[in-house]
């Protein structure tokens, strides 16, 4: 790649939050710090870009940078017009104590450096990135759309054609800017997802925690996920964006005040991103929504809790419908393929699966990334119900993995080794957030 | 129960970094900071060779043509085909086999990328040859 192409590649990444700038003006977001608002804008930019790309391919309009940019920019402009006039309360400055600030910055910086070096030196490249995420991206960019002939092709089944399209679309977006694809450079974007999520995680935690606690928990979260992304060879794959969307959905739900009913815009946006990123995103939506429903029932009563849960999942349902519409109109099997018959389980493998799963929750830190928040959770003796949106995801992801591995009719050990370190990451992230809130002192936050 | 949560959290974060750094540094700093030639340099020795082979072939194949990859090992042949779909986005990449099953479309490809010690099909004009393999063109 030439210097100009590198510049264009960087510009394509900067353009993503620009496409979704409208999100920064929502009342639950606009009082946050600029980096946190950029995180929300990145989420809306990626979701609206993906929906646009799928709809253009559904009706047969070829992709181009203007065609893909226009609908997201118009959407953001409308949102800005609608929300931008409302009064904006002042951003509360972050003031952690000196030692916590220094240590948190050091931990966050070192862990992101660790991940970045691993990505740059090809020590964390995902095989799935080389076998299908990147392949779909360059092929879609080359054909200026989602060419249905490719997912229909007999010799493309290894590329899981039914997987949702956000990662190939966002990657293809960069290819449209540069005209070529750098297989060595692109995995570096994995670190950007973790970096983009951190300020928003911090701001949401500060609604439940003191500045010291928020900074410390965010530092631990960033260190745990950065090290895990490197260790699980997630470079260039869909793991980092999935972690971004699911983490922020859970963080937004945990930050909600106990007795009020704030807008569900932010978590709903993040769950829409999750379902467009991986099949596991749809599982996460069910788990998080179930946790939120049970939690809200106590404070708001069942009818209100149901209404708020519908608001929570509406964006995800609409986003998924867009993808299924494309499948249906192009003669592709609609929906996601199952992994064998749903209840055809090989229970004899259960001890092997449980043992293998435990061994593969190392997360690059000898398992400390899991053990520390687990210990915090137990020692804090916090009420479980307020933490349910996170705990259902954390426990549910692991239970889902066990259920999935039970479908294998041969020893699942190798598949566990390949998949568990990366697919378990949203569970790890949610556990850290739950333990963080459980140990925080500021119990009743202001409405966001 | 009141615990000094912030300090324990942040010290735990430092411990995570220390564990990760210790593992990373056990491989030697100089070796790790070398820029890689392929995206697989530090994760798969066989994958590195396969990727480098496909990149080497790229310089010898005109854009837009159809191609297939053959290898002595069926698993390797499948892997090379899957990687080639990404390395050759402007070409029609056809499999010679797929998960160990022969794919007839491979015999229609104009260019044949012959990896390592694969048996060369008849009727090929060898365009280039080097240690890791060769590129052949079917005589029409």
């Amino acid at each position: 790649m030439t210097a100009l192409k590198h510049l264009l590649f960087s510009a394509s990444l900067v353009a993503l939050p620009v496409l979704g700038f409208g999100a920064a003006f929502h009342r639950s977001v606009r009082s946050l710090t600029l980096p946190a608002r950029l995180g929300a804008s990145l989420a809306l930019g990626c979701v609206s870009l993906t929906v646009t790309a799928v709809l253009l391919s559904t009706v047969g309009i070829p992709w181009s940078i203007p065609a893909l940019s226009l609908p997201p920019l118009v959407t953001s402009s409308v949102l800005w017009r609608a929300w931008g006039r409302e009064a904006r309360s002042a951003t509360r400055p972050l003031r952690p104590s000196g030692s916590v600030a220094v240590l948190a910055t050091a931990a966050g910086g070192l862990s992101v450096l660790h991940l970045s070096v691993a990505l740059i030196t090809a020590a964390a490249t995902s095989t799935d990135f080389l076998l299908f995420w990147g392949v779909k991206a360059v092929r879609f960019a080359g054909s200026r759309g989602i060419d249905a002939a490719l997912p229909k092709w007999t010799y493309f089944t290894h590329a899981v054609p039914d997987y949702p399209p956000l990662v190939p679309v966002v990657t293809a977006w960069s290819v449209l800017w540069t005209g070529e694809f750098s297989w060595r450079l692109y995995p570096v974007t994995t670190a950007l997802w973790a970096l983009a999520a951190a300020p928003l995680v911090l701001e949401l935690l500060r609604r439940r925690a003191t500045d010291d606690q928020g900074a410390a928990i965010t530092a631990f979260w960033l260190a745990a996920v950065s090290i895990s992304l490197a260790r699980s060879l997630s470079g260039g794959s869909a793991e980092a964006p999935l972690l971004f969307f699911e983490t922020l959905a859970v963080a937004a739900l945990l930050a909600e005040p106990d007795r009020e009913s704030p807008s569900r815009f932010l978590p709903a946006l993040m769950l829409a991103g999750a379902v467009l990123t991986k099949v596991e995103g749809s599982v996460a939506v069910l788990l998080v929504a179930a946790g939120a429903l049970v939690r809200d029932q106590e404070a708001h009563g069942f009818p209100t809790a149901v209404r708020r849960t519908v608001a929570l999942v509406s964006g995800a349902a609409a986003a998924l419908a867009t993808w299924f519409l494309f499948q249906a109109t192009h003669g592709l099997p609609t929906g996601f393929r199952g992994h064998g018959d749903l209840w055809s389980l090989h229970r004899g493998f259960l001890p092997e699966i449980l043992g293998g799963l435990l061994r593969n929750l190392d997360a690059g830190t000898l398992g400390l990334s899991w053990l520390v928040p687990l210990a915090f959770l137990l020692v804090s003796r916090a009420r479980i119900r307020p933490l349910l949106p996170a705990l259902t995801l954390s426990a549910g992801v692991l239970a889902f993995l066990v259920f999935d591995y039970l479908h294998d009719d041969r020893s699942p050990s190798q598949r566990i080794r390949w998949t568990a370190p990366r697919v378990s990451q949203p569970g790890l992230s949610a556990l850290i957030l739950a333990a963080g809130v459980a140990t925080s002192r500021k119990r009743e936050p202001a409405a966001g | 129960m009141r615990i000094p949560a912030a300090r324990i959290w942040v010290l735990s974060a430092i411990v995570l970094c220390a564990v990760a750094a210790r593992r990373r540094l056990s491989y030697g700093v100089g070796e790790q900071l070398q820029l890689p030639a392929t995206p697989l340099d530090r994760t798969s020795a066989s994958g590195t060779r396969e990727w480098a082979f496909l990149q080497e072939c790229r310089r010898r194949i005109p854009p837009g043509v159809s191609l297939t990859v053959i290898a002595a090992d069926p698993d390797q042949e499948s892997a090379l085909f899957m990687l080639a779909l990404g390395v050759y986005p402007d070409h029609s990449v056809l499999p010679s086999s797929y998960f160990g099953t022969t794919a007839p479309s491979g015999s229609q490809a104009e260019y044949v990328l012959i990896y390592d010690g694969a048996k060369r099909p008849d009727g090929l004009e060898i365009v280039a040859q080097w240690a890791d393999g060769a590129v052949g063109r079917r005589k029409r």
Side-chain angles (χ1 to χ4, degrees), chain B residues 32-109:
Chain B
Q32 286 189 67
L33 290 180
Q34 281 173 5
L35 279 180
T38 83
L40 288 155
D41 276 19
R42 289 180 175 82
T43 53
S44 163
S46 60
T48 302
R49 268 194 75 203
E50 289 162 9
W51 189 275
F53 167 73
L54 292 172
Q55 289 290 358
E56 185 64 33
C57 295
R58 247 185 93 84
R59 300 193 292 121
R60 302 156 198 274
I61 296 178
V65 299
S66 61
L67 62 91
T68 191
V69 194
I70 58 171
D73 176 58
D75 288 341
Q76 209 157 32
E77 191 166 277
S78 270
L80 280 159
F81 159 69
M82 293 171 196
L83 293 175
L85 286 170
V87 175
Y88 294 88
D90 305 323
H91 296 74
S92 171
V93 181
L94 304 169
S96 287
S97 68
Y98 194 62
F99 291 116
T101 305
T102 303
S105 55
S107 59
Q108 307 300 314

Side-chain angles (χ1 to χ4, degrees), chain A residues 206-287:
Chain A
R206 284 175 72 207
R207 291 180 180 167
R208 282 278 171 191
T210 63
D211 283 3
D212 269 10
Q213 291 164 348
I217 298 160
T218 304
F220 185 91
W221 175 85
L222 186 56
V225 301
S226 297
I227 294 165
S228 178
L229 284 167
R231 180 69 169 178
S232 62
L233 308 182
S234 296
S237 74
E239 311 306 334
L242 186 71
L243 202 51
F244 172 89
F245 287 120
E246 291 186 9
T247 298
L248 293 175
V250 166
L253 288 170
L254 290 179
E256 287 180 347
D258 295 336
R259 299 283 165 199
E260 296 172 45
S261 301
S263 162
R264 283 263 154 105
F265 167 74
L266 196 57
L269 169 64
M270 296 303 169
L271 290 183
V275 296
L276 286 172
T277 304
K278 281 191 87 180
V279 177
E280 292 93 314
S282 294
V283 177
V285 169
L286 296 177
L287 294 167

